[in-house]
Amino acid sequence: MTHDIKGVLPVVLMPYTEDGARVDEDDFLAQTEHMFDVGCDGFVVGQVSEVLRLTHEERLRVAELSAKAARGRGVSIMSTGAETPNAAVEYSRHAQEAGVDALLVMHPATIPLDDAGMVAYYSKVIEAVDIPVIVHHAKSLAKQPLSIAAQVQLLEEYGEERVLFKPEAQPTPPRVSQLRDATGGRARIFEGDGGMMLLDCHRRGLTGTIPATEIAEIVIALWNLLEQGRRAEAERIGHPLSYLMCHMMNSTDYYLSIAKRFLKERGIVKSTHVRGPSRHVLDDETWTEVHHTYQNLLSLAKEFNR
């Protein structure tokens, strides 16, 4: 199904019960329904899904929920990276057996790996499964960037049907071009900064973009305009979206505190709970500013998605 892994694939924001004791499965499915209803090609369970804060049993269950939610409507992609290759292989095999369409695999976050270590880690996971693997470099968690040469090595070894890329090492746009050029345009690359750099990255040869649930229809409108070559109209969405992301992307918890409040206000989830330990409390003045920007973006999205 590699040909279908493209376009706008938002990340589910993990919904919890009000006390945070368990995943709210109904609200998980409500998010995926919302994404498909507004025209997304599929969805992802990623790092902003608080995947590292899930219990082992919850991670297994979420993979099963993902396969169920996407069946017949689009693609499901499950995050299966871990601190050891053995653990990553276990999560990856389970996700494949559950029926997800692809894997998003992040590198270990606690130990810095050089290129040889990164290639060995990813190779073990890729060889353990049959479905495509998106190699995810998470800039906020990586001890050192995954080099272009290492990514090229993985592509040459396993091919573009098996290996895709979500590079986040900064500055992102020129690194997208470097990966594109180093692979002769073969690398299938996804932008992953909430659409912040989509105006620039799209023209460099993206396969898709991975935002999050709360901006799904906003990014759908932006992506479609860019695909149609309507740059001036795309800027009407892309510029305020970048401003919104400047507010939200100060940290993962900061992002979640805002995004989940957006979703609750819209009736897509019931709780704004962020599983702790969390170090952020959203202040009223920030909320007023981001809410105003968000409402304007939703209005623009409605205009262009007609």
Side-chain angles (χ1 to χ4, degrees):
M1 293 189 65
T2 306
H3 64 283
D4 290 325
I5 302 173
K6 61 179 178 58
V8 180
L9 304 167
V11 176
V12 175
L13 301 176
M14 198 59 61
Y16 300 106
T17 53
E18 193 61 49
D19 61 1
R22 60 181 178 83
V23 173
D24 187 321
E25 295 190 4
D26 289 339
D27 282 3
F28 183 98
L29 296 174
Q31 285 187 64
T32 61
E33 285 293 309
H34 168 71
M35 287 186 246
F36 287 125
D37 287 347
V38 301
C40 296
D41 300 279
F43 65 88
V44 177
V45 172
Q47 295 313 305
V48 81
S49 305
E50 298 174 77
V51 70
L52 296 180
R53 293 172 175 172
L54 298 177
T55 67
H56 174 71
E57 290 75 16
E58 286 173 336
R59 286 188 73 168
L60 301 181
R61 177 56 182 158
V62 165
E64 294 161 2
L65 272 177
S66 296
K68 173 184 176 182
R71 197 162 292 129
R73 300 202 69 180
V75 298
S76 59
I77 301 171
M78 180 66 195
S79 180
T80 56
E83 290 306 293
T84 68
N86 288 349
V89 164
E90 180 179 330
Y91 285 127
S92 298
R93 284 176 171 162
H94 172 267
Q96 176 175 271
E97 291 167 3
V100 303
D101 299 293
L103 308 174
L104 180 71
V105 181
M106 192 187 82
H107 46 75
T110 56
I111 300 173
L113 296 179
D114 59 16
D115 276 358
M118 286 281 205
V119 169
Y121 169 82
Y122 281 111
S123 295
K124 190 161 186 177
V125 175
I126 294 165
E127 292 173 6
V129 296
D130 300 315
I131 57 178
V133 170
I134 302 176
V135 172
H136 178 203
H137 172 268
K139 63 178 179 289
S140 61
L141 295 171
K143 303 303 181 191
Q144 62 188 65
L146 178 62
S147 74
I148 298 296
Q151 294 173 75
V152 171
Q153 183 178 344
L154 289 167
L155 185 67
E156 293 298 328
E157 179 71 23
Y158 300 105
E160 60 265 36
E161 297 299 308
R162 296 292 315 285
V163 184
L164 300 84
F165 300 92
K166 184 175 182 271
E168 294 177 3
Q170 296 177 326
T172 302
R175 287 181 67 85
V176 169
S177 292
Q178 290 165 17
L179 181 56
R180 175 201 65 200
D181 295 345
T183 60
R186 292 171 59 205
R188 298 168 62 81
I189 307 170
F190 292 82
E191 182 265 355
D193 286 326
M196 180 183 288
M197 302 301 295
L198 190 52
L199 284 172
D200 191 353
C201 287
H202 180 272
R203 64 188 175 87
R204 298 173 188 260
L206 292 179
T207 295
T209 182
I210 301 177
T213 309
E214 86 288 348
I215 55 171
E217 64 265 65
I218 296 167
V219 177
I220 281 284
L222 176 56
W223 179 262
N224 289 340
L225 290 169
L226 291 170
E227 289 282 279
Q228 296 162 16
R230 297 161 65 183
R231 171 76 189 202
E233 292 165 294
E235 288 178 358
R236 291 180 57 197
I237 295 178
H239 290 159
L241 178 59
S242 294
Y243 174 65
L244 178 64
M245 290 300 108
C246 283
H247 273 286
M248 296 178 70
M249 286 190 168
N250 285 290
S251 71
T252 299
D253 288 341
Y254 202 96
Y255 192 101
L256 291 169
S257 68
I258 296 171
K260 290 189 177 186
R261 190 164 172 181
F262 286 152
L263 291 180
K264 182 177 181 181
E265 183 179 75
R266 298 178 65 187
I268 298 171
V269 301
K270 297 184 288 292
S271 172
T272 62
H273 185 88
V274 177
R275 190 170 273 183
S278 174
R279 296 180 179 175
H280 176 69
V281 177
L282 181 62
D283 68 284
D284 291 340
E285 289 170 297
T286 297
W287 171 249
T288 298
E289 182 66 15
V290 297
H291 184 264
H292 172 75
T293 304
Y294 184 64
Q295 292 301 316
N296 286 341
L297 281 164
L298 288 177
S299 295
L300 283 169
K302 186 175 181 180
E303 173 186 340
F304 287 115
N305 284 333
R306 287 173 182 163

